[in-house]
């Protein structure tokens, strides 16, 4: 199955940002800043990249973080987002400022400085851009219907 890819123009539209902002994010934030893109080749983005940059946008606009601070944990954020996620995974990420560790926000209480990041808004924007209905509740389990089959009569 082919994966969906986005162009720079798609990303700008989805993120509602200017081109120079996306260019700066890609230049500064690992893992994107570490990728080698050949000259005259355009970068392609995946749906996970879109979610990553929607989170970065929230970190900047809502939490007031700067790119230098985000760059310290952006590789860990990308690694966390690029792992398979559970349908019922929590809608919060925990970012440890000292260790730069990123994890789902379940349990563990600590005295270390952390950011508890809600994924509600980035996920809402993500689904909206991809055309997913926003009002439908997420399904956390699969229901398999059973149907009684009658034996075919042979003539």
């Amino acid at each position: 199955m082919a994966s969906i890819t986005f162009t720079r123009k798609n990303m700008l539209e989805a993120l509602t940002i200017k081109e120079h902002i996306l260019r700066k994010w890609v230049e500064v934030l690992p893992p994107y800043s570490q990728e080698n893109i050949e000259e005259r080749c355009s970068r392609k983005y995946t749906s996970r990249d879109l979610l990553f940059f929607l989170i970065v946008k929230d970190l900047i606009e809502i939490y007031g973080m700067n790119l230098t601070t985000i760059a310290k944990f952006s590789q860990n954020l990308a690694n966390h987002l690029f792992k398979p996620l559970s349908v019922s995974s929590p809608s919060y990420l925990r970012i440890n400022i000292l260790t730069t560790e990123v994890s789902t926000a379940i349990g563990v209480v600590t005295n270390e400085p952390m950011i508890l990041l809600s994924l509600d808004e980035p996920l809402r924007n993500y689904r909206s851009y991809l055309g997913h209905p926003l009002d439908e509740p997420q399904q956390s389990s699969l229901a398999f219907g059973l149907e009684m089959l009658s034996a075919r009569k042979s003539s």
Side-chain angles (χ1 to χ4, degrees):
M1 182 177 183
S3 63
I4 298 172
T5 58
F6 301 100
T7 63
R8 173 193 47 78
K9 185 177 179 180
N10 298 138
M11 294 295 282
L12 296 174
E13 180 183 325
L15 296 165
T16 61
I17 59 173
K18 302 278 185 194
E19 186 172 354
H20 71 279
I21 294 173
L22 180 60
R23 186 180 321 113
K24 185 69 172 175
W25 291 357
V26 168
E27 289 172 358
V28 172
L29 300 176
Y32 305 95
S33 63
Q34 299 163 348
E35 294 175 354
N36 291 325
I37 302 296
E38 292 183 30
E39 260 187 67
R40 302 177 70 71
C41 289
S42 61
R43 180 185 299 266
K44 296 293 183 190
Y45 299 94
T46 66
S47 56
R48 295 283 178 154
D49 296 328
L50 174 57
L51 182 57
F52 174 87
F53 286 117
L54 284 166
I55 291 170
V56 167
K57 183 179 179 187
D58 273 8
L59 288 170
I60 293 169
E61 292 180 355
I62 296 173
Y63 294 85
M65 296 183 82
N66 61 41
L67 279 182
T68 306
T69 303
I70 296 170
K72 292 176 184 175
F73 61 81
S74 67
Q75 180 68 58
N76 290 337
L77 175 61
N79 292 344
H80 185 77
L81 292 175
F82 296 163
K83 292 188 298 189
L85 299 175
S86 166
V87 173
S88 60
S89 61
S91 59
Y92 288 91
L93 287 180
R94 185 178 58 217
I95 302 169
N96 186 317
I97 301 301
L98 296 178
T99 66
T100 69
E101 179 186 354
V102 176
S103 60
T104 52
I106 301 175
V108 184
V109 177
T110 181
N111 292 331
E112 295 180 4
M114 302 221 165
I115 295 172
L116 190 60
L117 174 68
S118 171
L119 295 179
D120 289 343
E121 190 64 25
L123 286 172
R124 187 177 3 271
N125 292 335
Y126 175 81
R127 289 186 191 110
S128 174
Y129 184 74
L130 294 179
H132 292 276
L134 300 177
D135 297 335
E136 287 185 13
Q138 284 189 340
Q139 184 174 342
S140 61
S141 63
L142 296 176
F144 292 100
L146 300 176
E147 184 177 323
M148 182 170 237
L149 301 175
S150 59
R152 288 175 85 176
K153 292 183 182 181
S154 54
S155 312

